[in-house]
Amino acid sequence: MHWDLETEAPKNSIDTTSEVIGFFSEKTYELTNSKEFIESLRVLNANSSELSETDKRIVYLTSKEQSKLSKIAKDKYVEYNQLLSKAQNVWTEARQENDFEKFAPYLEKIITYQKNYTKLIGDKNHPYNVVLDDYEEEMTVAKLDPFFEGLKARIVPLLEKIKQTKQVDMSCLTKKYSIEKQKEYSKKIAAQLGFDFDSGLLKESAHPFTLNFNKYDVRMTTRYIEDLFSSSLFSTVHETGHALYEQNIGDNIYDTVLGTGVSLGIHESQSRFYENLVGKNKAFWLKNYKELQELFPENLDNTTVDEFYKAANFVAPSLIRVEADELTYSLHILVRYELEKEIFENDISVSELPKLWNDKYEKYLGITPDSDANGILQDVHWAAGLFGYFPTYALGSAYASQFFHYMNKDFDVNKSIEENELKPILGYLTKHIHQFGCLKKADNLVMDMCGEELNAQYYIDYLESKFSEIYDL
Amino acid sequence: MHWDLETEAPKNSIDTTSEVIGFFSEKTYELTNSKEFIESLRVLNANSSELSETDKRIVYLTSKEQSKLSKIAKDKYVEYNQLLSKAQNVWTEARQENDFEKFAPYLEKIITYQKNYTKLIGDKNHPYNVVLDDYEEEMTVAKLDPFFEGLKARIVPLLEKIKQTKQVDMSCLTKKYSIEKQKEYSKKIAAQLGFDFDSGLLKESAHPFTLNFNKYDVRMTTRYIEDLFSSSLFSTVHETGHALYEQNIGDNIYDTVLGTGVSLGIHESQSRFYENLVGKNKAFWLKNYKELQELFPENLDNTTVDEFYKAANFVAPSLIRVEADELTYSLHILVRYELEKEIFENDISVSELPKLWNDKYEKYLGITPDSDANGILQDVHWAAGLFGYFPTYALGSAYASQFFHYMNKDFDVNKSIEENELKPILGYLTKHIHQFGCLKKADNLVMDMCGEELNAQYYIDYLESKFSEIYDL
């Protein structure tokens, strides 16, 4: 139903379908908190030594989810879900009308619920850890603080330097590109990267996303903008990264709850890997640019591969996260991380948030939002109750660089890309990540592959080196 | 899931989705036969005098369905559904390979189940009545026999006469028509007839169909064949007829089990009304042909409206039901009606069926199938267990002509069509049929609208008059 609503449901059907979704979410709550379910989990946990590794992990994750859900009273749960549904509609209007006051009472209720939730679940070190764990198992403020500090210390000055130099020319991407040909190229590049169209679909939606029913049915969307070819191009490559993760889950677990990506951070590492380390890599275009030029001679005949590569990596501090370039993207996340942490730490009133938001944009990106619509109202996440979600975007980029580094110990990745040999890349990622689904914790995946845990150094080094070269620093 | 499977699901997802559908069909059986459900129905039936008319009808129809389902043991029900699922795959292969022997054992099992089912439910007059009632409430052999006899007596000789005359030229429909422009015209004509695209979709599938979740979400498909424009044109108009029925259900019942068309015969009357009495009506093209010509000047510039109208009504006995013209269509149904009746009446062995089939084609249409693939293997219905379903196709055509006759007592229908005033037609059908959903029985709808029950005379008269004129008889 989610897929249908986002890609093709007729306008007038939305209310009824939303009711049905509400019905199923209530049933899920009831089933998960039913006596039979709880008793089954108790017996399984009591006899866990007799379970296979796979079953142990299934029981562990299910018990954890059940335990979290059981702490919320059913009426509160249903009420909160109705609040979120309304809040998203109000947010849409508030953003259109640039009216933060309109959204503020909803945001306040959501924050109250979330803070109450962190109290009910409890974390001995930091309340924000509770919601972080919902999207990235065992992620904590203690791990994220040094991560974002490291980014801040080197990316903010790097951006300053870039702002002093001559800007690269990205006009080759903003000409009119035929939508039909964009569609053709999106399909072509997804298949080239390894997307299996017999086990998936590529359609369109307002905001690109990937959704998996199981490894044999992985659906992704992109969006086509006539005068911004980079939008469909890199959205498709990004979503293909997500989709490849899901399509390459092991057959041994694909039809269990373990048969999906383990965490949002690891998931985002796969999409960022393909988007930035393959799709925005010069090596890729050295091989593939000629074909692209032949498809769009009217737009690219007078653009060299070097100019195209630089245009694709154009850097400029901007107000909107989803339109940000690779370098400044993490600074948008830094703003949200610091704000969310403060919300859970202190008694910040909702009315203070727009100013805090704007101050941080000025501090880290050097620009102040001209409106709340382009500031604190830009993301749907808070309206959807998704606190603790944003950091996974930055984690994904960092993981991607770290994995690229270790992949190079197996084979020369750039050489492979330049020769259009993309199978070894997918093979490596499948071997070390995809096949396991949720069987291994994110931390263990990283440790087993790299021999060390999350290390932001690779990411920062990569950004410095890539953008120093592009901008002749 | 059915919509998804038919319109876009990736190939490899079919097995898993079929399993899920199987799961839900089992759950439906369990819920419908649960103690709580049966007890609820018992209490409601015992106190039916306190119920509103709407609730009475809901309880009546639900009890009837429950009672039918309760007569089948759960293991038999599950086993039979698995058989049907397999049988449809085997049928697909058997048809491709023209191998009736391959399909025969499955057909035999399905017939055995169906005959056993008719015994379990029971009908004092004729076993075939049991399955007829599944698709057309209270339809019986006693009503259908004279109906088909009437058709046979006058349509078979009419066809003979047409075969003796000069054939009309249909070559204007078999030129190459741009698929993009066909799509544009399908959308245009559906909207023109009254289809609300805010409450529905038009997509493509191998076999056109219409499916409704509720009146605000009615989805139909058509199929585009480059060198057979009449395929998409009349499929779209046909499905629009089905869709208009569903989109115009009353708001008072739309979200109950009554919120859908009452029977297959009445449903088909709506699709046939639009397909034949509007879409293949000269009055419609007198007004609309110029626009069509302007969209396809390369194909229609040298074709007059009269030639186009005659081409659209080209008559020729053919082997395949779904490709049949308006006149011979009912004879295809006659063959199936007589065969099905005999199957339920007598102990015909499955191996005799192909010959019986071919003999009837020779007798009524004057042609003998060149293969079982083009004969008894052409329809999926028996593989899907749909015995008793075919007669509703012919009933639909007959009802359509009867309704057209009575509509003319309110206003001059052809004049309205010629003036492109299609709203009075939809208004009449909504007032007398659509709004009621399943609230009124088919028989009552017909009686209340016409003051008489099903009367095939209007249909036969219409066919004789229309085709005598086209063929100058």
Side-chain angles (χ1 to χ4, degrees):
Chain A
M1 284 181 277
H2 175 59
W3 170 258
D4 188 70
L5 281 178
E6 298 287 340
T7 61
E8 71 176 19
K11 201 177 81 179
N12 294 342
S13 73
I14 293 170
D15 285 352
T16 317
T17 306
S18 303
E19 256 184 66
V20 178
I21 291 174
F23 171 84
F24 279 115
S25 104
E26 203 177 320
K27 285 290 156 200
T28 301
Y29 180 97
E30 284 172 12
L31 282 171
T32 308
N33 282 310
S34 68
K35 275 184 194 164
E36 301 93 307
F37 195 78
I38 292 169
E39 177 59 13
S40 303
L41 286 177
R42 196 197 58 75
V43 171
L44 288 163
N45 278 307
N47 299 280
S48 73
S49 61
E50 296 170 44
L51 298 178
S52 68
E53 284 312 300
T54 303
D55 289 343
K56 251 184 222 164
R57 179 80 173 146
I58 292 174
V59 170
Y60 170 78
L61 287 176
T62 310
S63 303
K64 188 172 165 183
E65 198 192 332
Q66 195 283 321
S67 157
K68 281 185 179 178
L69 202 58
S70 72
K71 299 211 165 86
I72 309 160
K74 187 177 159 196
D75 56 341
K76 292 272 174 219
Y77 178 82
V78 172
E79 199 181 284
Y80 179 63
N81 277 296
Q82 284 163 350
L83 171 67
L84 292 183
S85 170
K86 260 187 228 159
Q88 286 168 76
N89 289 331
V90 174
W91 167 79
T92 305
E93 288 171 20
R95 190 188 180 195
Q96 274 162 4
E97 299 159 13
N98 186 33
D99 184 356
F100 181 74
E101 290 305 308
K102 190 168 192 170
F103 178 55
Y106 291 87
L107 182 57
E108 190 164 354
K109 279 185 199 164
I110 292 169
I111 289 176
T112 303
Y113 176 94
Q114 288 280 328
K115 290 178 96 164
N116 186 45
Y117 170 72
T118 62
K119 270 179 215 144
L120 289 170
I121 307 292
D123 184 279
K124 60 183 186 299
N125 296 309
H126 198 290
Y128 190 38
N129 288 350
V130 171
V131 290
L132 288 172
D133 178 79
D134 282 347
Y135 306 103
E136 196 69 24
E137 196 180 354
E138 298 176 13
M139 186 48 65
T140 60
V141 166
K143 291 178 194 169
L144 285 176
D145 273 348
F147 171 81
F148 280 109
E149 284 305 316
L151 274 182
K152 191 160 43 173
R154 282 169 61 194
I155 303 305
V156 175
L158 176 61
L159 180 60
E160 269 311 305
K161 270 200 250 173
I162 287 175
K163 280 160 73 178
Q164 313 298 322
T165 66
K166 192 170 164 288
Q167 190 47 274
V168 305
D169 176 13
M170 68 164 296
S171 63
C172 68
L173 291 171
T174 56
K175 297 173 180 176
K176 288 206 165 179
Y177 282 73
S178 139
I179 301 283
E180 280 314 305
K181 289 202 279 182
Q182 287 194 47
K183 285 185 185 174
E184 186 189 323
Y185 197 74
S186 270
K187 254 194 122 159
K188 194 238 141 210
I189 200 169
Q192 185 184 359
L193 298 174
F195 184 80
D196 177 358
F197 278 93
D198 282 342
S199 298
L201 292 179
L202 171 62
K203 283 183 78 177
E204 281 173 73
S205 65
H207 302 283
F209 69 96
T210 297
L211 175 152
N212 61 304
F213 300 121
N214 58 68
K215 66 177 288 191
Y216 295 109
D217 196 348
V218 179
R219 301 176 179 207
M220 58 182 186
T221 67
T222 188
R223 112 178 111 176
Y224 301 98
I225 302 172
E226 199 178 22
D227 57 2
L228 192 61
F229 173 50
S230 44
S231 173
S232 74
L233 175 60
F234 296 115
S235 291
T236 300
V237 174
H238 179 97
E239 299 305 329
T240 300
H242 283 303
L244 290 175
Y245 190 175
E246 296 295 344
Q247 287 191 333
N248 290 288
I249 298 283
D251 271 318
N252 56 327
I253 52 165
Y254 94 95
D255 56 355
T256 74
V257 295
L258 305 183
T260 187
V262 68
S263 74
L264 292 185
I266 299 293
H267 231 303
E268 195 71 6
S269 76
Q270 303 305 293
S271 56
R272 295 286 170 186
F273 192 100
Y274 279 95
E275 179 185 357
N276 295 326
L277 297 160
V278 179
K280 291 184 178 170
N281 185 333
K282 195 164 177 177
F284 183 79
W285 294 108
L286 286 174
K287 186 72 181 183
N288 290 284
Y289 184 61
K290 210 181 146 212
E291 197 189 24
L292 186 68
Q293 235 176 355
E294 279 163 9
L295 183 62
F296 295 104
E298 64 280 21
N299 297 322
L300 296 175
D301 251 7
N302 297 316
T303 302
T304 66
V305 61
D306 196 57
E307 287 163 344
F308 178 81
Y309 164 68
K310 285 186 176 172
N313 285 288
F314 174 92
V315 170
S318 64
L319 295 173
I320 305 294
R321 176 184 58 84
V322 295
E323 292 164 7
D325 56 77
E326 184 182 0
L327 182 71
T328 58
Y329 192 89
S330 58
L331 302 178
H332 290 264
I333 302 304
L334 171 63
V335 169
R336 287 153 180 80
Y337 172 70
E338 291 191 352
L339 267 184
E340 288 192 350
K341 203 174 66 159
E342 284 175 44
I343 287 171
F344 284 92
E345 229 168 58
N346 308 316
D347 274 329
I348 298 175
S349 93
V350 164
S351 60
E352 294 173 77
L353 287 173
K355 188 176 179 313
L356 288 171
W357 179 285
N358 293 353
D359 289 350
K360 286 186 192 292
Y361 263 79
E362 186 57 45
K363 190 170 162 195
Y364 301 137
L365 288 119
I367 46 174
T368 298
D370 53 355
S371 67
D372 288 335
N374 290 328
I376 193 165
L377 284 172
Q378 71 183 267
D379 298 305
V380 72
H381 296 62
W382 291 351
L386 301 174
F387 286 87
Y389 191 112
F390 283 119
T392 66
Y393 292 131
L395 282 173
S397 298
Y399 279 137
S401 288
Q402 188 170 350
F403 299 165
F404 190 89
H405 173 86
Y406 284 94
M407 197 184 286
N408 263 302
K409 295 190 185 291
D410 260 34
F411 61 98
D412 184 335
V413 185
N414 276 334
K415 189 162 167 279
S416 223
I417 293 175
E418 207 178 315
E419 288 165 356
N420 243 348
E421 285 295 329
L422 303 176
K423 274 190 188 155
I425 295 175
L426 181 55
Y428 184 95
L429 295 172
T430 299
K431 180 181 165 196
H432 292 284
I433 302 172
H434 300 175
Q435 61 160 321
F436 297 112
C438 296
L439 197 53
K440 280 190 187 183
K441 281 202 301 192
D443 281 358
N444 294 349
L445 280 177
V446 177
M447 185 58 85
D448 290 350
M449 176 169 25
C450 309
E452 65 172 340
E453 56 190 15
L454 171 68
N455 181 344
Q457 215 53 47
Y458 304 105
Y459 177 47
I460 298 168
D461 288 350
Y462 153 78
L463 289 174
E464 274 189 351
S465 139
K466 176 174 180 175
F467 290 97
S468 296
E469 195 226 309
I470 291 173
Y471 282 87
D472 282 327
L473 300 182
Chain B
M1 283 181 279
H2 174 60
W3 171 257
D4 189 71
L5 280 177
E6 297 289 340
T7 61
E8 70 175 20
K11 200 176 82 178
N12 294 341
S13 73
I14 294 170
D15 285 352
T16 316
T17 306
S18 303
E19 256 183 67
V20 177
I21 291 175
F23 171 84
F24 280 114
S25 102
E26 202 177 321
K27 284 288 157 202
T28 301
Y29 180 97
E30 284 172 13
L31 282 171
T32 308
N33 282 310
S34 68
K35 276 185 193 162
E36 301 93 308
F37 196 77
I38 292 169
E39 177 59 12
S40 304
L41 286 177
R42 195 195 59 75
V43 171
L44 287 164
N45 278 308
N47 297 279
S48 72
S49 61
E50 295 170 44
L51 298 179
S52 68
E53 283 312 300
T54 304
D55 288 345
K56 252 184 221 162
R57 180 80 173 147
I58 292 174
V59 170
Y60 171 78
L61 288 175
T62 311
S63 302
K64 188 173 166 182
E65 196 191 335
Q66 196 282 322
S67 158
K68 281 185 179 178
L69 202 60
S70 73
K71 300 214 164 86
I72 309 159
K74 188 178 159 195
D75 56 343
K76 292 274 174 218
Y77 178 83
V78 171
E79 200 181 281
Y80 179 63
N81 278 294
Q82 283 162 350
L83 170 67
L84 291 183
S85 169
K86 260 188 229 157
Q88 286 169 76
N89 290 330
V90 174
W91 166 79
T92 305
E93 288 172 21
R95 188 187 182 196
Q96 274 163 3
E97 299 160 13
N98 186 32
D99 184 357
F100 181 74
E101 290 305 308
K102 190 167 190 169
F103 178 54
Y106 291 87
L107 182 56
E108 191 164 355
K109 278 185 199 166
I110 293 170
I111 289 176
T112 303
Y113 176 93
Q114 288 280 329
K115 290 178 97 165
N116 186 45
Y117 171 72
T118 63
K119 270 181 217 144
L120 290 170
I121 308 292
D123 185 279
K124 59 181 185 303
N125 296 310
H126 199 290
Y128 190 39
N129 289 349
V130 171
V131 290
L132 288 172
D133 179 80
D134 283 348
Y135 307 104
E136 196 69 24
E137 196 178 354
E138 298 175 13
M139 185 49 64
T140 61
V141 167
K143 292 179 194 169
L144 286 176
D145 273 349
F147 172 79
F148 280 110
E149 283 306 317
L151 274 182
K152 194 163 32 174
R154 285 169 59 193
I155 304 305
V156 174
L158 177 61
L159 179 60
E160 269 312 307
K161 271 199 249 173
I162 289 176
K163 281 160 73 178
Q164 313 300 323
T165 65
K166 191 169 165 285
Q167 190 48 274
V168 307
D169 177 11
M170 69 165 294
S171 64
C172 67
L173 292 170
T174 55
K175 299 174 180 177
K176 288 205 166 179
Y177 283 74
S178 139
I179 301 283
E180 280 314 305
K181 288 202 279 180
Q182 287 195 45
K183 285 185 185 175
E184 189 190 318
Y185 197 73
S186 270
K187 255 193 120 158
K188 194 236 142 212
I189 199 168
Q192 185 183 357
L193 298 175
F195 184 80
D196 178 0
F197 278 94
D198 282 342
S199 298
L201 293 178
L202 170 62
K203 284 182 79 177
E204 280 172 73
S205 65
H207 302 282
F209 68 96
T210 297
L211 176 154
N212 62 304
F213 300 122
N214 57 67
K215 67 176 287 190
Y216 295 110
D217 197 347
V218 179
R219 300 176 179 208
M220 58 181 187
T221 67
T222 189
R223 105 178 118 177
Y224 301 98
I225 302 172
E226 201 179 20
D227 56 2
L228 192 60
F229 174 51
S230 45
S231 173
S232 75
L233 175 60
F234 295 115
S235 292
T236 300
V237 174
H238 178 98
E239 299 306 327
T240 300
H242 283 303
L244 290 176
Y245 191 176
E246 297 295 343
Q247 286 191 334
N248 290 289
I249 298 282
D251 271 320
N252 56 325
I253 51 165
Y254 95 95
D255 57 354
T256 73
V257 293
L258 306 182
T260 188
V262 68
S263 75
L264 291 185
I266 299 293
H267 232 304
E268 195 72 7
S269 77
Q270 303 306 292
S271 56
R272 295 286 170 186
F273 192 100
Y274 278 96
E275 180 186 356
N276 295 326
L277 297 161
V278 178
K280 291 184 179 170
N281 185 334
K282 195 163 176 181
F284 183 79
W285 295 109
L286 286 175
K287 187 72 180 183
N288 290 284
Y289 184 62
K290 209 180 148 212
E291 196 189 27
L292 187 68
Q293 235 177 355
E294 279 163 9
L295 184 62
F296 296 105
E298 63 281 21
N299 298 324
L300 296 175
D301 252 6
N302 298 316
T303 303
T304 66
V305 62
D306 196 57
E307 287 163 345
F308 179 80
Y309 164 67
K310 285 186 175 172
N313 285 291
F314 173 90
V315 170
S318 64
L319 295 173
I320 304 295
R321 176 184 59 83
V322 296
E323 291 164 8
D325 56 76
E326 185 182 359
L327 182 72
T328 57
Y329 191 88
S330 58
L331 303 178
H332 290 265
I333 303 304
L334 171 64
V335 169
R336 287 154 180 81
Y337 172 69
E338 291 191 351
L339 267 184
E340 289 192 352
K341 203 175 64 159
E342 285 175 43
I343 287 171
F344 284 92
E345 231 168 55
N346 308 317
D347 272 331
I348 298 175
S349 95
V350 164
S351 60
E352 294 173 74
L353 288 172
K355 188 174 178 314
L356 288 171
W357 179 286
N358 293 353
D359 289 350
K360 285 185 192 293
Y361 262 78
E362 185 57 46
K363 188 168 161 198
Y364 300 136
L365 288 119
I367 46 174
T368 298
D370 53 353
S371 67
D372 288 336
N374 289 329
I376 195 166
L377 284 172
Q378 71 183 270
D379 298 306
V380 71
H381 297 62
W382 292 350
L386 301 174
F387 285 88
Y389 191 112
F390 284 120
T392 65
Y393 292 133
L395 282 173
S397 299
Y399 279 137
S401 288
Q402 187 170 351
F403 300 165
F404 190 88
H405 173 85
Y406 283 96
M407 197 184 284
N408 263 304
K409 296 192 185 289
D410 260 33
F411 60 96
D412 184 336
V413 186
N414 276 334
K415 187 161 169 277
S416 224
I417 293 175
E418 205 178 317
E419 288 166 356
N420 242 349
E421 285 294 330
L422 302 176
K423 274 190 188 152
I425 296 176
L426 182 55
Y428 185 95
L429 295 172
T430 299
K431 180 181 164 198
H432 291 283
I433 301 172
H434 300 175
Q435 61 161 321
F436 297 112
C438 296
L439 198 52
K440 281 190 189 183
K441 281 202 301 192
D443 282 357
N444 294 348
L445 280 177
V446 176
M447 186 58 86
D448 290 351
M449 178 171 20
C450 309
E452 65 171 340
E453 54 190 20
L454 172 67
N455 181 345
Q457 217 50 49
Y458 304 104
Y459 176 47
I460 298 168
D461 289 348
Y462 154 77
L463 289 175
E464 275 189 350
S465 140
K466 176 173 179 176
F467 289 98
S468 296
E469 196 226 307
I470 291 174
Y471 281 88
D472 283 324
L473 299 183

